Amino acid sequence: MIPAPKAHPPRLIESDLRPISLTPTLSKLLESFVGAWTLNKIQGKLGYNQYGAMKGRSTTHALIDITHHWNKAVDEGQSLRAVFIDFAKAFDHVDHNVLLEPFMDFNLPDTIIQWMCSFLRHRRQRVKISSVMSDWLQMDAGMQQGSYLGPLTFIMLIDKLQTSCMTHKFVDDTTLSEIVAKFATSRMQECCNDLVEQTREVRMIVNGRKTKKMIIGPILKDPPPDLLLNDTVVDRVSTFKLLGVHVSNDLKWTEHVRAVTSKASSRLHFLKQLKRAGCTEGDLMK
């Protein structure tokens, strides 16, 4: 396992590094076979609101569907309450015993279930940084990030997580949306309570500190009370980076355009510095 940075430069080991598993080529090949068989068996059985690790679906499809419902609600003069759920160490908290239950619920062949039991049993991992290796550690839980089966098995595990409000999922990124009429009362707290209860059944944890909420559309006459997740007040934000796109509570693209141009400007600056330092055109194009 190698620690891949999620932020540049990484400052905290706990939050700025992602553990990526490097498995043997033969293991990856076998995973792709089993994954393809599994996907063919469960295709059409998974919830329609799941856009991750599915054939013919991507972040683009998820974003189009989400923003379509949001814009439609605002155009009709309604308000919308969105909650961006964050699962604490989602892949690391996968319980192997609980993970096998969806395989049986989806009526997968015994061959695949037995293969998964063998795949998860007595797995060991160690951390590699440059040429330095840690000691081996046996895994009693968790699913490998960077593997073919990781996202596929995870979406099977959280397929049961359903609430009474509109839900969009992209692997472990879950967005709850509630359309609130002019004089209606928000029921988002009930939806979040249901979600927290369901996540406990699959041995996962919702991180209330990293979960964010947003109110979109006309200002409500009676703003809804604070939203609580695991006794933690959820912070309200005006912008949020959702599946790589910066969304704002006014549904305008100003913040996203600013972020993209800032990133492009930074890269152009470094390219200019490298060219002044004598880098060839071929090196700059790499």
Side-chain angles (χ1 to χ4, degrees):
M1 186 182 68
I2 61 170
K6 293 192 288 186
H8 299 278
R11 293 181 174 84
L12 297 174
I13 295 177
E14 295 82 2
S15 59
D16 293 345
L17 295 175
R18 178 182 287 110
I20 301 297
S21 298
L22 302 179
T23 53
T25 302
L26 182 59
S27 176
K28 291 180 180 178
L29 188 62
L30 289 171
E31 283 185 59
S32 67
F33 291 156
V34 175
W37 296 335
T38 303
L39 189 58
N40 288 333
K41 294 289 185 181
I42 66 175
Q43 196 82 26
K45 297 181 181 180
L46 288 169
Y48 186 77
N49 57 358
Q50 176 61 256
Y51 290 85
M54 301 285 290
K55 289 183 179 179
R57 293 195 166 199
S58 65
T59 54
T60 302
H61 296 93
L63 288 165
I64 289 175
D65 194 44
I66 292 171
T67 54
H68 166 72
H69 286 94
W70 290 0
N71 280 284
K72 184 174 182 293
V74 172
D75 289 343
E76 294 174 352
Q78 297 172 312
S79 298
L80 191 136
R81 202 178 187 190
V83 179
F84 310 102
I85 300 295
D86 180 87
F87 292 106
K89 300 290 183 181
F91 281 80
D92 295 335
H93 284 168
V94 173
D95 187 296
H96 290 172
N97 294 322
V98 176
L99 181 61
L100 292 174
E101 291 181 9
F103 282 78
M104 294 180 282
D105 293 339
F106 282 106
N107 295 320
L108 291 175
D110 291 340
T111 305
I112 294 180
I113 297 176
Q114 291 173 9
W115 190 92
M116 278 301 302
C117 289
S118 176
F119 179 77
L120 296 172
R121 190 179 181 187
H122 300 316
R123 290 193 69 88
R124 298 192 304 162
Q125 69 178 23
R126 62 179 178 178
V127 179
K128 177 184 178 183
I129 301 179
S130 298
S131 59
V132 180
M133 301 279 192
S134 70
D135 296 331
W136 286 104
L137 179 68
Q138 184 165 317
M139 297 173 58
D140 297 322
M143 197 64 192
Q144 298 75 24
Q145 295 192 53
S147 65
Y148 185 95
L149 289 174
L152 180 59
T153 54
F154 189 84
I155 66 173
M156 293 172 62
L157 179 65
I158 67 169
D159 184 63
K160 291 183 178 180
L161 303 185
Q162 303 291 341
T163 65
S164 56
C165 64
M166 185 166 42
T167 306
H168 291 85
K169 303 175 187 174
F170 192 89
V171 191
D172 60 330
D173 290 312
T174 301
T175 303
L176 305 181
S177 304
E178 180 197 24
I179 297 174
V180 184
K182 191 172 183 181
F183 297 105
T185 303
S186 173
R187 299 180 62 252
M188 181 58 77
Q189 184 64 65
E190 297 176 23
C191 295
C192 290
N193 291 342
D194 290 341
L195 183 69
V196 169
E197 187 62 32
Q198 292 174 41
T199 54
R200 288 173 180 166
E201 293 177 4
V202 294
R203 310 284 179 85
M204 296 185 65
I205 303 172
V206 175
N207 190 339
R209 294 182 178 179
K210 288 188 176 181
T211 296
K212 306 298 179 184
K213 68 178 181 182
M214 182 186 294
I215 296 180
I216 301 170
I219 301 299
L220 297 174
K221 183 178 180 180
D222 296 318
D226 289 336
L227 192 65
L228 296 176
L229 280 179
N230 291 328
D231 299 325
T232 302
V233 177
V234 177
D235 293 333
R236 179 179 172 181
V237 295
S238 58
T239 62
F240 185 82
K241 190 174 182 181
L242 176 64
L243 301 177
V245 174
H246 295 265
V247 294
S248 304
N249 58 355
D250 58 4
L251 295 182
K252 294 183 179 180
W253 295 100
T254 306
E255 181 62 25
H256 183 68
V257 171
R258 186 204 63 76
V260 171
T261 53
S262 176
K263 188 175 181 179
S265 177
S266 176
R267 292 189 177 185
L268 286 172
H269 170 74
F270 285 114
L271 286 173
K272 289 179 181 179
Q273 297 299 319
L274 290 171
K275 187 173 182 179
R276 289 174 182 173
C279 286
T280 64
E281 184 176 341
D283 291 334
L284 294 175
M285 294 292 290
K286 292 181 179 178

